[in-house]
Amino acid sequence: REATGASLGWENEEEPTLEVDAPTDGSILIVDEQERVMERIARALEGVGELTFMAGGEDAAERAREKNFDLIIVSLTMRNTDGLRVCSKLRSFEETRHVPILVMVDDGNTKLLVRALEMGVNDYVVRPVDRMEFLARVKTQLKRKRYADKLWENFHLSMQLATTDAVTGLYNRHYLTSHLETRLQAAQKSGKALSVLMMDIDHFKKVNDTYGHAVGDLVLKEFANRIGKNIRGVDLAARYGGEEFVVMMPETPTDWAFMIGDRLRQEVFDNPFDVGAADGPLTISVSIGVATSDEGQTPAALLEAADKALYEAKENGRNRVII
Ligand code: GH3
Ligand code: MG
Ligand code: MG
Ligand code: MG
């Protein structure tokens, strides 16, 4: 709960809730060979969700990978199919690993049940099955699945909030520095160069003062887009501060980094930013400092070297790249 949007200052956003009712729209897969059993299950689970029946077959698990089921019910005593094997496959596939499994087992077949439980099935019913008990166990599994899905969703939302900058969608400074540490160590181990570009938009204060903060924000967004178009998939771009950006480039010697930086600088300067300013697209320029990792260098020292080069680019007239 601590790490959700609410605690990160999302005042006006709907707070994620973890309360769950028993779903009525769960999607349930039932694996059994007997038609009469399937009919009974269909009646017992009326209104609980969407039911899919598979008449056994060990490829039931394979087919389950293609659809996001909320619960899978498997009969352990089928004539032509090894139900236990179906369960073991379901637990081994990435796509179905976390889907709850409820098994049906004949009374007295404790050995089979124990093996299924050891395999990680979530619950069981013993034949002859009590209809009310069956329904209750199904609903409980669906509720748990719903709860787990929400936790997972909130976790992803928190991760995204914690690692990205809301204005530009780029990674934030914290993510960059922690990632840089790892990549720098890898670079030093492999002996391959890692370069960084430290970039700062020129006279950005003037944009804000002339056109307002909202237009300033759009310039930041568009600048982030331009960065994205000019770097490679392996590079990592982050918003380092207000109008400062950093690109981390693994396996990139200084002269390549310079070329990539200068191409971006030129592209930005040559193509004015269409951000809805009253007097048309804005000509933007950026100053860039380049630094390449030395042996034993810390991330802080590398960024400092790039910052020093950036300072020189500013001193020497802006709209340029300095190594
Ligand atoms: P220089 O060429 O020396 O970099 O000049 P500059 O005007 O770009 O530099 P300065 O550091 O003086 O001003 C940066 C401005 O960026 C000041 C601040 O109000 C603005 N700024 C910082 N963060 C944001 C933001 O998120 N949105 C907007 N619109 N402006 C921001
Ligand atoms: Mg400045
Ligand atoms: Mg600036
Ligand atoms: Mg600045």
Side-chain angles (χ1 to χ4, degrees), residues 200-201 243-244 314:
D200 186 292
I201 300 176
E243 23 78 83
E244 261 176 72
K314 293 281 187 191

